């Protein structure tokens, strides 16, 4: 079931809210658990069994860790629990990928039936691994089996995050005020859900139309012009942001309807002035997980520069592999590892300079532009179905196929015509390729809104941005704006079939 579907908005959500607030105490937990299982099973009921088995196994492992007093036994149980979780994830997500690559490398003919990936397996696996590690380190507060179930399968965050560590929610479940109706939380929840819905259906889905044009052409190795490659790649970059950011806003908003506050997952990542800053803003709960449960245990930056670089590559390559079983994801992770290492290198040089210029506007503009371009280039590998397709797009982005510009520009600047490197758009085509020029009237405002407007997290009071005096205060004006956004989004959903969120595939 999709957040952006009629059945969810008008049937599932209202019924769940009514039942939740009719009951109290333990019954409210049961309502949310059964609602979440129905929500998950709506996609494929058979995998509800897999989810329940995973929950029962990890809860038992957690209790077993607490049962033993000797560290060696605790470590063995923890290792066993993590290993089984990774084996399960590896089988469903990577078995076909590894078999295919073994056949290519060794010219073998091993065959494995195509395995259907259970939705959300990456998210609930990482979430439960974090629970086991926290249990081993005595960082888990008291909870019952029902509360553990809700921690894993709470439907707003079950499918595509945020990846919730137990410290964010267990105290809320144990609070005596849990389940009480709070008008302020409910109001914020509705408004945040509407903002996320509008991001998804009004912005991301329309950006996706033009992003898909580029990658579909690349899959057929058709000619791609310079500007077409960049416009399509930027369109996907913005589509992915508004799609996943919209989902995260909707998840936090839905949780607030039940009085639960989930962790922030996005904080205006395209405003970042460095790749390191980007990863502090993009998919923050995944970054937090990788940092706390992989990067720091590996030694972080405490064991010399060589091991620091090694740890960065391990974390980013595994982060790329987590997103999907494909070489494009691995290269995407490796590329970001290279970016981060270079970023650390220049930070080291910069800190040893006698003069600094980080407050200069020109420096900030250069840093923003370079960071954004590097991110856009990396997304090409993330989106392309094959490395050949990614290479085809990147050649055009770096002008290996020349540059096409409007004919009127060549007529006014003759030197362009004489260069032999720049050509004009042919009849029936545009300088943007098959993308119409009018699309820029949509793309450019969306881009500037992304980098200029305050993030929803600052607007709704989760985080504070510098020089941002605009915050959400329920009033008539915001009510009218929210109603119009909801009305427009519902019209769009009814007129067109609901589309999956991009991160559902992970």
């Amino acid at each position: 079931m999709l957040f952006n579907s009629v059945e969810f908005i008008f049937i599932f959500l209202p019924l769940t809210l009514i039942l939740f607030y009719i009951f109290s105490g333990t019954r409210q937990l049961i309502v949310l658990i059964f609602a979440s299982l129905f929500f998950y099973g709506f996609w494929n009921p058979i995998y509800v069994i897999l989810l329940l088995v995973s929950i029962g196994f990890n809860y038992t492992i957690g209790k077993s860790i607490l049962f033993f007093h000797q560290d060696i036994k605790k470590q063995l149980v923890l290792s066993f629990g993590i290993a089984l979780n990774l084996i399960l994830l590896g089988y469903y997500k990577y078995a076909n990928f590894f078999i295919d690559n073994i056949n290519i490398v060794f010219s073998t003919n091993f065959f494995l039936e195509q395995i259907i990936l259970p939705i959300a397996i990456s998210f609930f696996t990482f979430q439960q691994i974090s629970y086991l590690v926290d249990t081993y380190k005595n960082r888990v507060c008291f909870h019952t089996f029902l509360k553990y179930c809700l921690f894993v399968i709470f439907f707003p965050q079950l499918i595509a995050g945020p990846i919730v560590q137990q410290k964010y929610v267990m105290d809320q479940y144990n609070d005596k005020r849990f389940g009480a109706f709070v008008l302020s939380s409910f109001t914020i929840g509705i408004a945040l859900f509407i903002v996320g819905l509008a991001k998804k259906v009004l912005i991301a889905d329309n950006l996706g139309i033009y992003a898909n044009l580029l990658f579909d052409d690349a899959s057929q190795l058709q000619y791609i012009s310079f500007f077409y490659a960049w416009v399509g790649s930027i369109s996907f970059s913005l589509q992915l942001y508004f799609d996943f950011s919209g989902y995260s806003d909707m998840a936090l908003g839905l949780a607030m309807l039940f009085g639960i506050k989930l962790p922030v997952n996005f904080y205006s990542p395209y405003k970042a002035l460095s790749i390191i800053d980007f990863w502090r803003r993009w998919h923050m709960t995944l970054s937090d997980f990788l940092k706390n449960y992989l990067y720091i245990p590996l030694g972080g930056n405490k064991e010399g520069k060589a091991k620091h670089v090694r740890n960065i590559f391990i974390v980013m390559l595994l982060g790329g592999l987590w997103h999907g079983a494909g070489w494009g994801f691995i290269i995407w992770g490796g590329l970001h590892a290279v970016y981060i290492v270079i970023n650390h290198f220049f930070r080291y040089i910069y800190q040893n300079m006698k003069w600094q210029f980080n407050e200069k506007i020109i420096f900030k503009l250069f840093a923003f532009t370079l960071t954004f371009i590097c991110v856009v280039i990396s997304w090409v590998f993330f989106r392309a179905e094959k490395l050949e397709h990614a290479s085809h797009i990147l050649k055009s982005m770096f002008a290996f196929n020349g540059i096409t510009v409007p004919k009127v520009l060549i007529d006014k600047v003759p030197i362009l015509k004489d260069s032999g490197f720049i050509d004009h758009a042919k009849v029936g085509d545009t300088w943007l390729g098959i993308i119409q020029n009018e699309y820029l009237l949509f793309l450019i405002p969306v881009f500037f809104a992304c980098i200029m407007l305050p993030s929803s997290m600052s607007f709704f009071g989760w985080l504070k941005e510098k020089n941002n005096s605009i915050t959400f205060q329920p009033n008539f004006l915001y009510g009218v704006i929210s109603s119009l956004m909801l009305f427009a989004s519902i019209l769009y959903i009814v007129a067109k079939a609901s589309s999956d969120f991009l991160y559902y595939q992970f």
Side-chain angles (χ1 to χ4, degrees), residues 55-66:
I55 290 171
F57 169 77
N58 283 285
Y59 183 77
T60 303
I61 292 294
K63 289 297 182 183
S64 300
I65 292 172
L66 295 175

Side-chain angles (χ1 to χ4, degrees), residues 63-233:
K63 289 297 182 183
S64 300
I65 292 172
L66 295 175
F67 175 78
F68 292 108
H69 299 288
Q70 295 177 322
D71 281 346
I72 185 64
K73 291 182 178 180
K74 287 177 177 287
Q75 290 173 4
L76 287 173
V77 174
L78 174 65
S79 299
F80 175 73
I82 293 176
L84 262 291
N85 276 287
L86 293 179
I87 288 172
L88 181 70
L89 178 63
Y91 170 75
Y92 279 104
K93 195 163 185 175
Y94 306 108
N96 289 123
F97 173 69
F98 284 122
I99 291 296
D100 290 344
N101 280 278
I102 287 173
N103 286 337
I104 292 172
V105 173
F106 297 103
S107 300
T108 53
N109 293 304
F110 295 117
F111 176 76
L112 187 65
E113 290 287 347
Q114 190 65 34
I115 299 170
I116 299 176
L117 181 68
I119 196 167
I121 189 170
S122 297
F123 287 91
F124 69 71
T125 299
F126 270 30
Q127 195 158 308
Q128 293 187 100
I129 287 175
S130 73
Y131 167 79
L132 295 181
V133 174
D134 287 349
T135 301
Y136 172 76
K137 295 185 176 181
N138 295 316
R139 296 193 300 220
V140 176
C141 57
F142 171 79
H143 59 277
T144 63
F145 178 67
L146 289 179
K147 290 176 181 177
Y148 177 77
C149 287
L150 188 59
F151 153 70
V152 177
I153 67 172
F154 186 37
F155 73 87
Q157 45 84 191
L158 172 61
I159 305 299
I163 299 173
V164 181
Q165 297 173 36
Q166 58 80 31
K167 64 182 179 181
Y168 291 113
V169 293
M170 285 301 186
D171 284 338
Q172 297 182 62
Y173 298 160
N174 289 330
D175 195 312
K176 292 180 180 180
R177 294 169 293 180
F178 172 75
F181 180 81
V182 180
L183 181 59
S184 59
S185 294
F186 199 85
T187 304
I188 290 175
I190 291 175
L192 189 53
F193 178 82
I194 291 172
V195 169
L197 181 65
K199 282 183 180 180
K200 165 61 179 172
V201 302
L202 300 181
I203 300 178
D205 286 353
N206 283 300
L207 289 166
I209 294 171
Y210 296 96
N212 291 339
L213 288 176
L214 170 67
F215 287 94
D216 287 345
D217 280 354
S219 68
Q220 300 173 29
L221 300 181
Q222 295 186 14
Y223 170 75
I224 294 172
S225 66
F226 173 80
F227 288 106
Y228 180 25
W230 276 103
V231 169
S233 299

